[in-house]
Amino acid sequence: MATVRILGAAQEVTGSCHLVESPALGKVLLDCGMHQGANSLKKIGREDFDFEPSDIDAVVLSHAHLDHSGLLPKLVSLGFKGPIYCADATADLLKIMLLDSINIYLGDLERENRKLLRKGKSPLEPEYSEDDVHEVLSLCVTKNYNERFTLSEQASCIFFDAGHILGSAIVQLTIQEKGSSKTLVFSGDLGNKEAVLMKDPSFLDKADILLVEGTYGDRNHRPIEDTVKQLREIIVETEKRGGNIMIPAFAVGRTQEILFYLGQLHREGLLQNWQVILDSPMAIEITKIYDKWFSSLDSKDIDQATPDAHSITKDFIPSLFLSVTPENSMAINRINKGALIIAGSGMCTGGRIRHHFKSRIWDSRNTVIFCGYQAMGTLGRMLVDGKKMIRIFNDSFAVKAKVETLGGFSAHAGQRELIEWITQFKPTPNVVLVHGDALALDKLSFVLWDKQNINSIIPTKGQAIAF
C-alpha cells in the first residue's frame, strides 16, 4: 500500500515537504523546504526531519523557492545521496538561491558566535556548509516538462508546467502496485492565470490522490487591470508629494513581473521623472536566468507589451539601473525624490530593503508597496497590518510612509482558479489541501463541498494518508 505523509506546509504556507512510501517506489520526498519568517539561525536550527535522510531514495522538487527547496543542503549533510529530480530551469535558479541562503546563514552564524564568545560560551556549529550546497547541485537531475522518467522499476513521474515561476512543476507520480496503477498528483504552487510572463498552469484529469496548495484558498485575486491602475495612481500621488517608492520584492517571479508592468508604465511616459532601481544582487542574477530561458516564457503577453523583446533587464525598462555593489546601494540614499527602489527581501526579513526603510520609512512623502504574500511574524506582515513603530538594526522607527498593498500581482492561483483546477479531475480524487493557513484551507474546503460536492482533507503535520 502506498502512503503519503505530510511533513511540512500542513495548515501553514511554508516548509513544503511530503514523504511518499511504497514497496514499489521506496521512499521519495516531494520538496524539502524551510520555514520562512524567522532569522536563518532559528529557521535552520529548529528544522528536524521526521525520517532518516539516508533512507530517502530520491527527492522530487516542484520548484526553486526556498520554502520548497531550502533544506536540501541539510538533508545532504545528514546523509541523503540520491537524485534530486527537478525541471530544467529549476536547477539554474537553485544554484543562485541556495548559495545566497548559505551565505546569509553563515553570516548570521558568525555574528551569533561572536556574541557567544564574548559571553564565554561555546560557539555554535553550522548545520550544513557551502560544500553541502554544491553537493545538492551535483545531485540534481533535470527533466523537461511532459517527459516521463523512471523512479523505480514500478514507478515513474512526469512534470507539467505549474505556471508559478520559471521551472515550477506539477508532479504526477504513478506507481504500479499489486497489479494496479495508482497516481498521486502534487500541485506544487499553482500559478495565477492572470500573471504575465508565465504560461497558464497545465490541467490534468486523472489522479487517485491530489495534494493541492491553498495559499489563497479563501479569496480571489483583484483583477490585474485594477492592480495596474492602482500602481499608476500610487506613482502619480507619490510624485506629487515629492517622495520615493520602496517595493520589497521576491527575487524569483515577482521582481520580473513588476519590471514588466513598470515597463508598460514607462512606455506610457509615466516614469519620466523616476529612476527605477533594482537593488538586489540576487534578483539581478535571477532575472538573468529568466533572460536565459526567455523563449520559454509566455510570448503572447510579452509581445503585446514589448514587441521584439529578448531581455527583461534590457528591453522592459531601458533606463533600469542595476544596483550590484554595496556602494551602489548606499548611493541610492542620496536621491532625494523620484527613486523607485525594488529590493529584497520580499517579506522584509533581511536584505537591502531594510536599509532603505531605515533611511525613508519615517518620511511621510514616501510610499512602501507590498505585492506579495507576507507570512505571520515577518516585518512585512507587521507593516501590512498597520504597525506604527518598527525596529530595524536595534533602532526604532516611526512608520510615516504610506503603506500600500497590490493584490493582483500574486504568483499563486486564487480560490476560483484552484477550484477550476481541482474540478478537472474525473472521477474526483482524494483531495488533500496543503500549503495554506488553516483559515484559508478551511474556506477552500467549505467552498469545494458547498459548490462542487467535493470532500477534502486538511491534514495535520505528520498525518499519513493511504492511496
Side-chain angles (χ1 to χ4, degrees), residues 346-422:
M347 296 185 191
C348 311
T349 54
R352 293 180 177 181
I353 193 66
R354 294 166 72 94
H355 293 275
H356 294 300
F357 282 175
K358 182 178 178 180
S359 298
R360 302 183 190 272
I361 203 162
W362 44 265
D363 188 335
S364 61
R365 297 176 301 161
N366 298 325
T367 303
V368 180
I369 300 176
F370 287 98
C371 48
Y373 184 85
Q374 303 299 311
M376 292 295 294
T378 63
L379 176 57
R381 183 60 172 261
M382 294 176 193
L383 290 169
V384 167
D385 287 346
K387 194 170 180 66
K388 297 303 182 184
M389 291 291 298
I390 60 173
R391 287 189 66 80
I392 306 174
F393 307 122
N394 296 317
D395 285 328
S396 296
F397 295 88
V399 180
K400 297 294 186 181
K402 193 168 184 180
V403 177
E404 301 274 6
T405 300
L406 299 180
F409 282 153
S410 177
H412 287 265
Q415 184 192 89
R416 185 184 303 109
E417 294 165 306
L418 289 169
I419 292 173
E420 180 187 13
W421 191 78
I422 293 168

Side-chain angles (χ1 to χ4, degrees), residues 301-322:
D301 285 340
I302 295 170
D303 286 345
Q304 287 178 354
T306 314
D308 301 319
H310 297 91
S311 166
I312 294 174
T313 54
K314 296 177 182 177
D315 296 332
F316 286 6
I317 310 172
S319 60
L320 175 68
F321 179 73
L322 303 179

Side-chain angles (χ1 to χ4, degrees), residues 222 228-238 270:
R222 188 179 185 189
V228 175
K229 178 183 177 183
Q230 183 186 358
L231 175 60
R232 187 182 290 110
E233 292 170 350
I234 291 169
I235 291 172
V236 170
E237 291 171 2
T238 307
L270 193 68

Side-chain angles (χ1 to χ4, degrees), residues 187-235:
S187 71
D189 285 353
L190 290 175
N192 180 355
K193 289 174 68 174
E194 287 207 35
V196 294
L197 302 182
M198 294 295 100
K199 296 176 181 177
D200 290 348
S202 301
F203 282 111
L204 284 69
D205 57 11
K206 298 294 182 185
D208 295 290
I209 185 168
L210 177 61
L211 271 64
V212 58
E213 66 119 327
T215 310
Y216 289 98
D218 57 343
R219 59 194 184 275
N220 293 307
H221 298 308
R222 188 179 185 189
I224 192 63
E225 296 82 8
D226 293 346
T227 300
V228 175
K229 178 183 177 183
Q230 183 186 358
L231 175 60
R232 187 182 290 110
E233 292 170 350
I234 291 169
I235 291 172

Side-chain angles (χ1 to χ4, degrees), residues 231-304:
L231 175 60
R232 187 182 290 110
E233 292 170 350
I234 291 169
I235 291 172
V236 170
E237 291 171 2
T238 307
E239 184 174 344
K240 287 179 181 177
R241 297 198 303 268
N244 306 277
I245 293 174
M246 296 167 283
I247 304 179
F250 299 90
V252 184
R254 194 59 42 79
T255 290
Q256 294 74 35
E257 189 175 7
I258 291 168
L259 291 175
F260 174 90
Y261 285 111
L262 289 175
Q264 284 191 331
L265 300 182
H266 164 78
R267 284 180 292 281
E268 292 177 16
L270 193 68
L271 301 182
Q272 289 181 349
N273 299 320
W274 289 87
Q275 172 63 67
V276 182
I277 303 160
L278 180 53
D279 187 29
S280 168
M282 186 170 76
I284 292 169
E285 291 304 309
I286 293 292
T287 307
K288 291 177 181 177
I289 298 296
Y290 269 68
D291 280 353
K292 173 183 173 181
W293 293 93
F294 200 84
S295 62
S296 71
L297 302 178
D298 192 334
S299 58
K300 183 176 67 175
D301 285 340
I302 295 170
D303 286 345
Q304 287 178 354

Side-chain angles (χ1 to χ4, degrees), residues 140-198:
C140 286
V141 179
T142 61
K143 299 295 179 180
N144 297 322
Y145 290 138
N146 308 311
E147 171 189 323
R148 185 176 296 277
F149 57 95
T150 299
L151 294 176
S152 72
E153 290 185 3
Q154 296 167 288
S156 62
C157 188
I158 306 176
F159 288 137
F160 298 91
D161 193 345
H164 175 59
I165 64 168
L166 190 67
S168 60
I170 299 163
V171 177
Q172 183 190 71
L173 177 61
T174 302
I175 303 170
Q176 304 296 329
E177 190 176 64
K178 296 180 181 179
S180 64
S181 178
K182 297 180 177 181
T183 300
L184 177 150
V185 172
F186 171 45
S187 71
D189 285 353
L190 290 175
N192 180 355
K193 289 174 68 174
E194 287 207 35
V196 294
L197 302 182
M198 294 295 100

